[in-house]
């Protein structure tokens, strides 16, 4: 498997670079965020987080799971100190609105290995609680589960082919059999379809949510990780998402649940 590097995170104004994954460290210009083939968000997702550098540049997505905790991808924050991260929460515009908070602590899953599958999940503790409504973790996510991807990732498939959208994007898709993705650990990762063979997560979407709707409420099943076919062109194959469900115990242990 190629080394994880960036497919889903974004640094505003930086060149888009992609290898076998959807993101890199916050300080890297390789992380970018846009959904290809999606549409403008049709609602405000209270739990949607834009992780940003001190200058306000978006580099990765995240999900607010508690008033002071955000879940994101390990490759987004590995090697980055908390004082280099701030968050904008609960807005469809990554440049304004919602709530702002600084980070206080970063916890990267100990199983994360940039060269291998699994463990691409991390937690960012906010310096102070926010008021936005959180998203709960789902109970499961089997193949066939209908889901929605959300992010500010690149909207064109070729790396560096366009700028990051200011407006949040969404795409309805579904979880497919793990065998459709290359280099995946089906025990802790989800293989997510690319509708029509041309829609899916892209540079800058890293760390963002894959959600399902249950009884009118959104629940988190996945965290954007990397491409599922080792292509530098987005949406040419399924994408790999870290299963938030599989890491529920780890999340609870570290967030004080």
């Amino acid at each position: 498997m190629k080394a994880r590097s960036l497919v889903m995170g974004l640094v505003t104004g930086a060149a888009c670079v992609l290898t076998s994954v959807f993101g890199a460290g916050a300080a890297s210009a390789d992380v970018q965020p846009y959904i290809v083939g999606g549409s403008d968000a049709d609602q405000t997702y209270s739990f949607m987080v834009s992780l940003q550098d001190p200058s306000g540049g978006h580099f990765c997505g995240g999900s607010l799971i508690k008033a002071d905790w955000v879940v994101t991808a390990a490759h987004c924050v590995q090697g980055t100190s908390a004082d280099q991260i701030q968050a904008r929460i609960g807005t469809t515009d990554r440049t304004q609105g919602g709530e702002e908070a600084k980070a206080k602590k970063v916890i990267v899953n100990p199983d994360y290995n940039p060269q291998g599958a699994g463990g691409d999940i991390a937690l960012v503790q906010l310096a102070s609680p926010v008021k936005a409504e959180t998203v709960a973790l789902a109970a499961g996510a089997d193949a066939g589960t209908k889901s929605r991807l959300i992010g500010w990732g690149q909207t064109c498939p070729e790396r560096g082919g366009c700028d990051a959208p200011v407006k949040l994007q969404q795409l309805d898709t579904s979880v497919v059999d793990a065998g459709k993705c290359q280099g995946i650990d089906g025990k802790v990762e989800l293989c997510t379809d690319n509708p029509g063979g041309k829609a899916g997560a892209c540079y800058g979407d890293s760390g963002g949510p894959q959600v399902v709707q249950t009884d009118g409420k959104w629940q988190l099943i996945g965290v954007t990780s990397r491409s599922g076919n080792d292509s530098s062109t987005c949406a040419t194959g399924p994408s790999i998402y870290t299963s938030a469900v599989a890491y529920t115990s780890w999340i609870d242990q570290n967030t004080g649940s």
Side-chain angles (χ1 to χ4, degrees):
M1 171 184 283
K2 296 179 182 178
R4 299 188 194 225
S5 83
L6 12 118
V7 111
M8 278 84 160
L10 150 135
V11 175
T12 305
C16 298
V17 183
L18 155 74
T19 63
S20 66
V21 224
F22 296 144
S28 171
D30 292 328
V31 196
Q32 275 74 177
Y34 317 159
I35 287 176
V36 174
S39 59
D40 288 352
D42 63 6
Q43 60 191 274
T44 297
Y45 299 91
S46 62
F47 55 85
M48 184 66 202
V49 178
S50 169
L51 292 179
Q52 305 182 347
D53 60 36
S55 66
H58 169 92
F59 64 84
C60 271
S63 301
L64 185 72
I65 56 170
K66 291 188 176 181
D68 60 343
W69 285 99
V70 173
V71 64
T72 187
H75 73 257
C76 285
V77 296
Q78 185 183 47
T80 303
S81 61
D83 61 5
Q84 292 299 304
I85 302 172
Q86 59 186 27
R88 185 176 293 278
I89 305 154
T91 178
T92 58
D93 185 327
R94 61 180 172 81
T95 67
Q96 62 182 352
E99 297 178 75
E100 296 178 76
K102 294 186 180 299
K104 177 171 79 171
K105 185 177 184 180
V106 175
I107 304 174
V108 173
N109 187 275
D111 293 334
Y112 175 62
N113 174 4
Q115 304 293 331
D120 193 11
I121 189 168
L123 295 164
V124 176
Q125 185 176 25
L126 304 178
S128 57
V130 295
K131 298 178 181 178
E133 184 177 355
T134 60
V135 63
L137 299 184
D142 298 328
T145 299
K146 295 185 182 303
S147 65
R148 176 169 290 183
L149 312 182
I150 312 170
W152 281 284
Q154 201 170 300
T155 54
C156 60
E158 295 78 19
R159 70 181 181 190
C162 58
D163 292 331
V166 171
K167 179 76 172 181
L168 185 66
Q169 300 292 295
Q170 64 183 45
L171 173 68
D172 289 331
T173 181
S174 61
V175 178
V176 295
D177 186 89
K180 294 184 180 295
C181 282
Q182 300 175 20
I184 188 174
D185 182 346
K187 295 179 181 178
V188 294
E189 296 180 319
L190 306 175
C191 185
T192 301
D193 198 20
N194 58 320
K198 57 182 179 182
C202 197
Y203 299 100
D205 286 318
S206 284
Q210 178 177 18
V211 291
V212 297
Q213 198 164 41
T214 304
D215 297 328
K217 302 280 286 185
W218 292 109
Q219 294 186 329
L220 184 69
I221 62 169
V223 177
T224 314
S225 179
R226 61 195 189 279
S227 65
N229 65 347
D230 278 340
S231 175
S232 62
T233 302
C234 301
T236 55
S239 299
I240 295 175
Y241 278 68
T242 300
S243 171
V245 178
Y247 288 95
T248 297
S249 293
W250 178 79
I251 291 171
D252 287 346
Q253 290 169 8
N254 285 281
T255 60
S257 176

